[in-house]
Amino acid sequence: MSELKGLMYPRTPEGRAGILPGPPWHYSGEMLTVEFRTDPERVAELLPPGLTLAEDDPGAVAIIWAEWQSCSDTFEELLDPARAQYKEVFVVIRCQHEGTTFSRSAYIWVDKDFAMARGHIQGYPKKMSEIWMTRPVTVGRAGPRLEPGGRFGATLSTWGRRIAEARFTITGEADSAGFVNGHPMLHSRFMPAIEMDGRDSLDELVTMSGFDHEVGPVYAGDAELVLHDNPTEELDRFGDIEIIGGYYRQVGTSMGPGTTVHANPNPMAS
Amino acid sequence: MSELKGLMYPRTPEGRAGILPGPPWHYSGEMLTVEFRTDPERVAELLPPGLTLAEDDPGAVAIIWAEWQSCSDTFEELLDPARAQYKEVFVVIRCQHEGTTFSRSAYIWVDKDFAMARGHIQGYPKKMSEIWMTRPVTVGRAGPRLEPGGRFGATLSTWGRRIAEARFTITGEADSAGFVNGHPMLHSRFMPAIEMDGRDSLDELVTMSGFDHEVGPVYAGDAELVLHDNPTEELDRFGDIEIIGGYYRQVGTSMGPGTTVHANPNPMAS
Amino acid sequence: MSELKGLMYPRTPEGRAGILPGPPWHYSGEMLTVEFRTDPERVAELLPPGLTLAEDDPGAVAIIWAEWQSCSDTFEELLDPARAQYKEVFVVIRCQHEGTTFSRSAYIWVDKDFAMARGHIQGYPKKMSEIWMTRPVTVGRAGPRLEPGGRFGATLSTWGRRIAEARFTITGEADSAGFVNGHPMLHSRFMPAIEMDGRDSLDELVTMSGFDHEVGPVYAGDAELVLHDNPTEELDRFGDIEIIGGYYRQVGTSMGPGTTVHANPNPMAS
Amino acid sequence: MSELKGLMYPRTPEGRAGILPGPPWHYSGEMLTVEFRTDPERVAELLPPGLTLAEDDPGAVAIIWAEWQSCSDTFEELLDPARAQYKEVFVVIRCQHEGTTFSRSAYIWVDKDFAMARGHIQGYPKKMSEIWMTRPVTVGRAGPRLEPGGRFGATLSTWGRRIAEARFTITGEADSAGFVNGHPMLHSRFMPAIEMDGRDSLDELVTMSGFDHEVGPVYAGDAELVLHDNPTEELDRFGDIEIIGGYYRQVGTSMGPGTTVHANPNPMAS
């Protein structure tokens, strides 16, 4: 029989039909971050057993809109940009595990399948959605400049309903783009047993970090955020929120292998 | 900490933000099947180690276009049909494992994320795509009737390129809608270790079957199939194909838990 | 120079690149109609000068979800169903013109460009949108049967926001699928002068009717309708509404040339 | 009766439901231009009676990929970017009319309905399509820098089929981004009579130009272009083409009223 090739499904004779090329993956894009404070109980309820709240500012949350180009080490996806460009919104919280503070994506939405599959490898719980964010411009009047007064809008919709909307106005530059998404990620990877009896065939904690970071200036400013009630989302559980700050930054990074922090045995294995 | 709820990601406080409701799942829809014969080597190369070719007609393959409504046991998705309706194309081969013949989906594309995630639980290697198939009609001239002479078209595109196209003309009724997709499914479920070093944290063979089948008459007929060269698919490897037959049928079924046939231990577990 | 071919843009050497094939057009599909009563002032404000309210039940309005296959007289679009299938929602009011009662589409949304362009010829003020409606099924549990108790949902969204949602439960058969959409259509066709100074280069009233109707049974039932506030729509102006009835029917029809009722001269013509 | 408001359909009580806000419209975006030479007969066949070929280099054609943000004078669309962002591909030829040379869009595709409707006012024969073009980046490895060696890809697909694909590599800066799209536009605006008997109710030649141009540097380079055979497009009629050059530039402009060059009377007006 053949040796099937590919990182993710489908694994095939040549490996070119896989949903995702193999690592490393390179990313260049724009990130709009809104940090806010909720009741720490609303963060705690998002953590699986074994993870605890961060000690400082435990109710802090970041929601981040990002517009990416990404590619493999062949860079060929950049010349067929349908396969390189995608948009993403993720909600990041912090947690502690064995004395270390991590960032953790509690919710995340993308608009391309390759990004969704890549997220599943990395433990990002990605669903598909409709995402828009204003782009800065360098000429003309139809967009903000990256300077004080530049105004951005960002929206997230699923099943034809708005879930979240943000507005952001640059007031100046800053040293940091927030603190919630600043740690290595600690994610759960799981797959229910096909028996679907409550057991998980895959049950792991994994961590990963980007490398070869290259970032532009951080633009800080005033942010507004609305999280709508929605029958298929739970962002409304954050309740009354207090805005901490808003940040815009152009970001380049690369991602490759991560590290298994803990893996439970597959209970289905004999 | 909270008890997180949900079958699949994200697992959340209430469980309503999950990409997929829990089983069982009910399906009603239309299936257009084209069966063809390729060189058995082209089927064999799609099988992982441990699976062998079916003994009778080992080069037989089915490609199936389906348009579904699906829902959970609450049936609520049917009233918000964006969450119930999806289209699907799958390429089915047969294999033997320990003396039993199974069907196996070698390739599959869908157009909704909940269907993609459900497939990943079931071992269907689902990617997203753009899918169209003609609907039969009961009134007017803009569609085929379910009777001899009724003509259907079906297309599959990814990244703005046509991958596969079929045409089908009903010639009469038949007893069966083909033989390739007629066995319990035998699927691989895997997840690469986050170290992405060639090890799989999850590596299982699973089987499942539908229940509570309710089907309409089988319409058989003449079929044409074109599988285009494509840089991100490998259907062109089937080469020169010989059409076996075409079939159209309305199908209702339900799916729930399956059975783990074999699970390798998670090598990352201590 | 060449003789350019085609009914609509672009007109080209061969005529095959036009957005729309020439008439007649055949349609087969499903229509879910919800009729409701609003303040007649809310209907009157939708009429241009020269049209007046219908005398009987002047506040009656119909909102109709439809899922269509349509094609030209070549029927070739049916074999490339991306070019045949579309969904549509339209809001129909009635009006009087010179003693005759007409139906009139005040708002309409579709999800394919060829349908949008065809509507513009016919005076339907079509925009693009995301539309879903439950399909009836004949087998399985994932959909309503066309019989008492069958339940349908229907949604309309633009720019990622829900505009309108309906639910419908069949209670029995009926003789008619409502009365608001039962007259010939009277539509305005206009095009602002490129000077965009308030003059219209095209300014017509046109009428058209379908022919070769073939319809299935009318299923009547209980309907609910929610019209959401929306910054880019004005359905919320209908205010408190009273449901008149709900109807589901399979419909076949054909459309071809209509009749100009009145045309104002093009003020830009010398 | 009410005074209906709005530039384009639907005209409504408040004017906020129109498909398009009124002028002026501001645009900021990126344009990737590939100029090529075809047999002048292939350009001539795209011209309606009364327009003749440009005298110099009459077989020159430009195909332009553009990614835009656009907005009205309220700038509010920029904060709801689904309503501001769109992509566009247009094929530009040149022509002479009464001794003056004009540019003319023979084919054009966009991916948002407001852009489609705006084009129809301006005489751009817009259809919907799926469009992708590589974005330049300032940080990271997943995209070209605006400097020699920067590589771009661009694709255009309709009905799930690739129509056109371009690749472009920057070799240096240039003074001009080509010459084909450099004149005022001369466009036909027409609408068939509802009788669809060959008469046009609207039949005009119009011209318009942008104002308040603000442009970035022109990057010139090596370009490749593939125009695929396609059953619903006629780009393959350009046959063997010779590449003239490729150009990338960031562009800001505004558009408002144009000028009617010639209007035929509406033959349906009494």
Side-chain angles (χ1 to χ4, degrees):
Chain A
M1 293 297 109
S2 71
E3 189 70 27
L4 292 168
K5 298 185 180 68
L7 179 67
M8 277 291 262
Y9 40 80
R11 290 186 179 164
T12 62
E14 296 179 38
R16 67 182 155 97
I19 194 170
L20 182 70
W25 305 299
H26 308 293
Y27 305 73
S28 293
E30 335 250 324
M31 296 178 79
L32 174 63
T33 299
V34 179
E35 292 193 338
F36 62 89
R37 203 166 279 123
T38 183
D39 180 338
E41 275 303 303
R42 300 284 77 77
V43 177
E45 70 183 15
L46 289 164
L47 297 176
L51 306 190
T52 56
L53 284 174
E55 289 181 2
D56 65 303
D57 213 344
V61 180
I63 182 168
I64 303 169
W65 273 259
E67 183 157 21
W68 295 112
Q69 271 178 172
S70 77
C71 63
S72 71
D73 242 13
T74 69
F75 299 95
E76 70 174 25
E77 298 83 5
L78 295 177
L79 298 182
D80 191 8
R83 295 157 52 201
Q85 296 177 356
Y86 68 102
K87 288 175 277 189
E88 179 168 86
V89 178
F90 51 123
V91 172
V92 180
I93 57 177
R94 289 168 307 146
C95 60
Q96 290 208 64
H97 177 68
E98 297 183 350
T100 302
T101 302
F102 292 91
S103 297
R104 181 176 174 89
S105 177
Y107 300 108
I108 183 165
W109 303 263
V110 294
D111 62 3
K112 289 279 175 72
D113 69 346
F114 66 84
M116 188 168 153
R118 184 165 52 198
H120 296 164
I121 295 177
Q122 299 173 325
Y124 284 94
K126 290 186 175 181
K127 304 194 291 185
M128 299 287 274
S129 192
E130 186 185 354
I131 297 164
W132 296 95
M133 60 185 285
T134 311
R135 285 188 203 117
V137 303
T138 58
V139 293
R141 302 181 64 192
R145 307 290 172 114
L146 288 175
E147 62 188 29
R151 298 189 70 198
F152 295 73
T155 63
L156 172 68
S157 301
T158 296
W159 308 126
R161 292 189 187 96
R162 288 272 170 103
I163 302 170
E165 297 175 294
R167 294 193 174 189
F168 170 68
T169 305
I170 296 174
T171 54
E173 297 199 19
D175 290 331
S176 128
F179 61 94
V180 176
N181 192 35
H183 304 275
M185 307 304 294
L186 185 69
H187 282 160
S188 300
R189 307 198 320 161
F190 58 82
M191 177 63 74
I194 190 64
E195 282 76 4
M196 292 187 268
D197 54 7
R199 289 179 291 179
D200 284 324
S201 289
L202 175 72
D203 182 8
E204 294 181 338
L205 275 179
V206 301
T207 186
M208 78 220 64
S209 298
F211 61 92
D212 284 354
H213 296 292
E214 184 186 12
V215 295
V218 175
Y219 300 93
D222 298 325
E224 300 163 69
L225 179 66
V226 178
L227 302 175
H228 293 282
D229 287 357
N230 189 296
T232 63
E233 301 295 342
E234 299 177 34
L235 295 182
D236 51 321
R237 292 183 63 84
F238 286 126
D240 291 329
I241 61 174
E242 172 197 0
I243 297 292
I244 299 173
Y247 311 95
Y248 180 91
R249 187 162 63 165
Q250 293 174 327
V251 174
T253 192
S254 297
M255 305 243 351
T259 301
T260 304
V261 173
H262 179 76
N264 281 320
N266 183 345
M268 314 313 293
S270 46
Chain B
M1 294 297 109
S2 71
E3 189 69 29
L4 292 168
K5 298 185 180 69
L7 179 68
M8 276 291 260
Y9 40 80
R11 291 185 177 164
T12 62
E14 296 180 38
R16 67 181 154 98
I19 193 170
L20 182 70
W25 305 299
H26 308 294
Y27 305 73
S28 293
E30 334 250 325
M31 297 178 79
L32 173 62
T33 299
V34 179
E35 291 194 338
F36 63 90
R37 203 166 279 125
T38 184
D39 180 338
E41 275 305 304
R42 300 284 77 77
V43 177
E45 71 183 15
L46 289 165
L47 297 176
L51 306 190
T52 56
L53 284 174
E55 289 181 4
D56 64 305
D57 213 344
V61 180
I63 182 168
I64 303 169
W65 272 259
E67 182 157 22
W68 296 112
Q69 271 179 170
S70 77
C71 62
S72 70
D73 242 13
T74 69
F75 297 94
E76 71 174 26
E77 298 84 5
L78 295 177
L79 298 182
D80 190 9
R83 295 156 52 200
Q85 296 178 356
Y86 69 103
K87 288 175 276 189
E88 178 168 86
V89 179
F90 52 124
V91 173
V92 180
I93 56 177
R94 289 167 308 146
C95 61
Q96 290 208 62
H97 177 70
E98 298 184 351
T100 303
T101 301
F102 292 92
S103 299
R104 181 175 174 90
S105 177
Y107 300 108
I108 183 166
W109 302 264
V110 293
D111 63 2
K112 289 279 176 71
D113 68 346
F114 67 82
M116 187 169 153
R118 184 164 54 198
H120 296 164
I121 295 177
Q122 298 174 325
Y124 284 95
K126 289 186 176 181
K127 304 195 291 185
M128 300 287 275
S129 192
E130 185 185 355
I131 297 164
W132 297 95
M133 60 186 284
T134 311
R135 285 188 203 118
V137 303
T138 58
V139 293
R141 302 181 65 192
R145 307 291 172 116
L146 288 175
E147 61 188 30
R151 298 190 70 198
F152 295 73
T155 64
L156 172 68
S157 301
T158 297
W159 308 127
R161 291 189 187 95
R162 287 272 170 104
I163 303 170
E165 297 174 295
R167 295 194 173 188
F168 170 68
T169 305
I170 297 174
T171 54
E173 297 200 19
D175 290 332
S176 127
F179 61 94
V180 177
N181 191 35
H183 304 274
M185 307 305 293
L186 184 70
H187 282 159
S188 299
R189 307 198 320 161
F190 57 83
M191 177 63 74
I194 191 63
E195 283 76 4
M196 292 187 268
D197 54 7
R199 290 179 291 179
D200 284 325
S201 290
L202 174 71
D203 182 8
E204 294 181 338
L205 275 179
V206 301
T207 187
M208 78 221 63
S209 299
F211 61 92
D212 284 354
H213 296 291
E214 183 186 13
V215 295
V218 175
Y219 300 93
D222 297 325
E224 299 163 70
L225 178 66
V226 179
L227 302 174
H228 294 282
D229 286 357
N230 189 295
T232 62
E233 301 294 342
E234 298 176 36
L235 294 183
D236 51 321
R237 292 182 64 83
F238 286 127
D240 291 328
I241 61 174
E242 172 197 0
I243 298 291
I244 299 173
Y247 311 94
Y248 181 92
R249 187 162 63 165
Q250 293 174 325
V251 174
T253 191
S254 296
M255 306 269 304
T259 302
T260 304
V261 173
H262 179 77
N264 281 320
N266 183 343
M268 314 313 293
S270 47
Chain C
M1 294 300 110
S2 71
E3 190 68 29
L4 292 168
K5 298 185 180 69
L7 178 68
M8 277 291 260
Y9 40 79
R11 290 185 178 165
T12 62
E14 296 180 37
R16 67 182 154 98
I19 193 170
L20 183 70
W25 305 297
H26 308 294
Y27 305 73
S28 293
E30 335 251 325
M31 297 179 77
L32 174 63
T33 299
V34 178
E35 292 194 337
F36 62 89
R37 204 166 278 124
T38 183
D39 180 339
E41 275 304 303
R42 299 285 77 78
V43 177
E45 70 182 15
L46 289 165
L47 297 176
L51 305 190
T52 55
L53 283 174
E55 290 181 1
D56 63 304
D57 212 344
V61 180
I63 182 167
I64 303 170
W65 273 258
E67 182 157 23
W68 295 112
Q69 271 179 170
S70 77
C71 62
S72 71
D73 243 12
T74 69
F75 298 94
E76 70 175 26
E77 297 84 5
L78 296 177
L79 299 182
D80 191 8
R83 295 157 53 201
Q85 296 177 356
Y86 69 102
K87 288 174 277 188
E88 179 168 85
V89 179
F90 52 124
V91 172
V92 180
I93 58 178
R94 287 167 310 144
C95 61
Q96 290 208 64
H97 177 68
E98 297 183 351
T100 303
T101 301
F102 292 92
S103 298
R104 181 175 174 90
S105 177
Y107 299 108
I108 183 166
W109 302 262
V110 294
D111 62 3
K112 289 279 176 72
D113 69 346
F114 66 84
M116 186 168 155
R118 184 163 55 197
H120 297 165
I121 295 177
Q122 298 174 325
Y124 285 93
K126 289 185 176 180
K127 304 195 291 185
M128 300 287 274
S129 192
E130 185 186 355
I131 298 163
W132 296 96
M133 60 186 284
T134 311
R135 287 189 202 116
V137 302
T138 59
V139 292
R141 301 181 66 191
R145 308 292 171 113
L146 288 174
E147 61 187 32
R151 300 190 69 198
F152 294 73
T155 64
L156 172 68
S157 302
T158 297
W159 308 127
R161 291 189 188 96
R162 289 271 170 106
I163 303 170
E165 298 175 294
R167 296 195 172 187
F168 170 68
T169 305
I170 296 173
T171 55
E173 297 199 19
D175 290 332
S176 129
F179 61 95
V180 176
N181 192 35
H183 305 274
M185 306 306 292
L186 185 69
H187 282 161
S188 299
R189 306 198 321 160
F190 58 82
M191 177 63 73
I194 190 65
E195 284 77 5
M196 292 187 269
D197 54 7
R199 289 179 293 181
D200 283 324
S201 289
L202 174 72
D203 181 8
E204 295 180 338
L205 274 179
V206 300
T207 187
M208 78 221 62
S209 298
F211 61 92
D212 284 354
H213 296 292
E214 183 186 12
V215 296
V218 175
Y219 299 93
D222 298 325
E224 301 164 68
L225 179 66
V226 179
L227 303 174
H228 294 281
D229 287 357
N230 189 295
T232 63
E233 301 294 342
E234 299 177 35
L235 295 182
D236 51 321
R237 292 182 63 83
F238 285 126
D240 291 329
I241 61 174
E242 172 196 0
I243 297 292
I244 299 173
Y247 312 94
Y248 180 93
R249 187 162 63 166
Q250 293 174 325
V251 174
T253 191
S254 297
M255 307 265 312
T259 302
T260 304
V261 172
H262 179 77
N264 282 319
N266 183 343
M268 314 313 294
S270 48
Chain D
M1 293 300 111
S2 71
E3 189 70 28
L4 292 168
K5 299 185 180 69
L7 178 68
M8 277 291 261
Y9 41 80
R11 290 185 178 164
T12 61
E14 296 179 36
R16 67 181 153 98
I19 194 170
L20 183 70
W25 304 297
H26 308 294
Y27 305 72
S28 293
E30 334 250 325
M31 297 179 78
L32 173 63
T33 299
V34 179
E35 292 194 336
F36 62 90
R37 204 166 279 125
T38 182
D39 181 338
E41 275 303 304
R42 300 284 77 77
V43 177
E45 70 181 16
L46 289 165
L47 297 176
L51 306 189
T52 55
L53 282 175
E55 289 180 2
D56 64 305
D57 212 345
V61 180
I63 183 167
I64 303 170
W65 274 258
E67 182 157 22
W68 296 111
Q69 272 179 170
S70 78
C71 62
S72 71
D73 243 12
T74 68
F75 298 95
E76 70 175 26
E77 297 84 4
L78 295 177
L79 298 182
D80 191 7
R83 295 158 51 202
Q85 296 177 356
Y86 68 103
K87 287 174 279 189
E88 180 168 85
V89 179
F90 51 125
V91 173
V92 180
I93 57 177
R94 288 167 309 143
C95 61
Q96 291 208 65
H97 177 68
E98 298 183 350
T100 303
T101 302
F102 291 91
S103 298
R104 181 175 173 89
S105 177
Y107 299 108
I108 183 166
W109 302 262
V110 294
D111 63 2
K112 289 279 176 73
D113 69 346
F114 66 85
M116 187 168 154
R118 183 164 55 197
H120 296 164
I121 295 178
Q122 299 174 325
Y124 284 94
K126 289 185 177 181
K127 305 194 290 184
M128 299 287 274
S129 193
E130 185 186 354
I131 297 164
W132 296 97
M133 60 186 285
T134 311
R135 287 188 201 117
V137 303
T138 58
V139 292
R141 301 181 65 191
R145 307 291 171 115
L146 288 175
E147 62 188 31
R151 300 191 69 198
F152 295 73
T155 64
L156 172 68
S157 301
T158 298
W159 307 128
R161 290 189 189 96
R162 287 272 170 105
I163 302 169
E165 298 174 293
R167 295 193 173 189
F168 170 67
T169 305
I170 296 174
T171 55
E173 297 200 18
D175 290 332
S176 128
F179 61 94
V180 176
N181 192 35
H183 304 274
M185 306 305 293
L186 185 69
H187 282 160
S188 299
R189 307 197 322 159
F190 57 83
M191 178 63 74
I194 190 64
E195 284 76 4
M196 292 187 268
D197 54 6
R199 290 179 291 181
D200 283 324
S201 289
L202 174 72
D203 181 9
E204 295 181 337
L205 275 178
V206 300
T207 187
M208 79 220 63
S209 298
F211 60 92
D212 285 354
H213 296 292
E214 183 185 12
V215 295
V218 175
Y219 300 93
D222 298 325
E224 301 164 68
L225 178 66
V226 178
L227 303 174
H228 293 282
D229 287 357
N230 189 296
T232 63
E233 302 294 341
E234 299 176 35
L235 295 182
D236 51 322
R237 292 182 63 83
F238 286 125
D240 291 328
I241 62 174
E242 173 197 359
I243 298 291
I244 299 172
Y247 311 95
Y248 180 92
R249 186 162 64 165
Q250 293 174 326
V251 174
T253 192
S254 297
M255 305 272 302
T259 302
T260 304
V261 173
H262 180 77
N264 282 320
N266 182 345
M268 313 313 294
S270 47

